[in-house]
Amino acid sequence: MRPSQILRSSELPIGKYNHYLNKDTWGHLGCIQPQKGIITYQVSANRQNVLAGASNDAIFNTWRRFSKQVLYWAPPLLVAYYAMDWAIKRNEYLNSKPGRAETAGS
């Protein structure tokens, strides 16, 4: 999405370089004075431990999510497994010699 003509015509974009909308200059997109009272903090990228606790959180979060969802997919999975097992055994029986003899009359 392209910025509007008004945004492209201003000197500084809103929210960048400490210039924000000001209630005193309603209708003007960037005020000359930087906004006061906004404090930002940053941590240098090389000072962060991005994988801190990732393995521990992954284990417990995975267990929590699994235990909440297992009752939604495990029963249908078991029913489908036993239905397929019954169908395979029934098919093998009907294609065997005793099965053909049983269904020969019908």
Side-chain angles (χ1 to χ4, degrees):
M1 192 164 110
R2 295 180 62 196
S4 68
Q5 189 67 25
I6 297 171
L7 276 176
R8 285 188 276 145
S9 67
S10 66
E11 292 178 17
L12 294 172
I14 297 174
K16 289 194 174 186
Y17 314 113
N18 295 327
H19 288 267
Y20 302 92
L21 279 175
N22 193 349
K23 64 182 176 184
D24 297 332
T25 59
W26 178 253
H28 300 123
L29 289 175
C31 60
I32 298 171
Q33 301 291 330
Q35 189 77 20
K36 293 182 180 180
I38 297 176
I39 301 170
T40 58
Y41 298 97
Q42 283 183 294
V43 177
S44 174
N46 61 350
R47 302 291 286 172
Q48 296 179 16
N49 188 0
V50 294
L51 294 177
S55 60
N56 186 32
D57 292 343
I59 292 169
F60 291 110
N61 191 36
T62 302
W63 174 253
R64 179 186 57 83
R65 292 176 67 184
F66 172 78
S67 64
K68 299 264 186 193
Q69 295 292 321
V70 71
L71 293 178
Y72 288 106
W73 57 265
L77 184 70
L78 290 174
V79 168
Y81 175 79
Y82 284 117
M84 192 69 181
D85 186 49
W86 172 83
I88 290 171
K89 287 180 182 176
R90 181 77 175 151
N91 184 37
E92 288 175 358
Y93 172 74
L94 290 177
N95 286 324
S96 66
K97 194 171 192 178
R100 287 180 185 261
E102 178 184 322
T103 58
S106 57

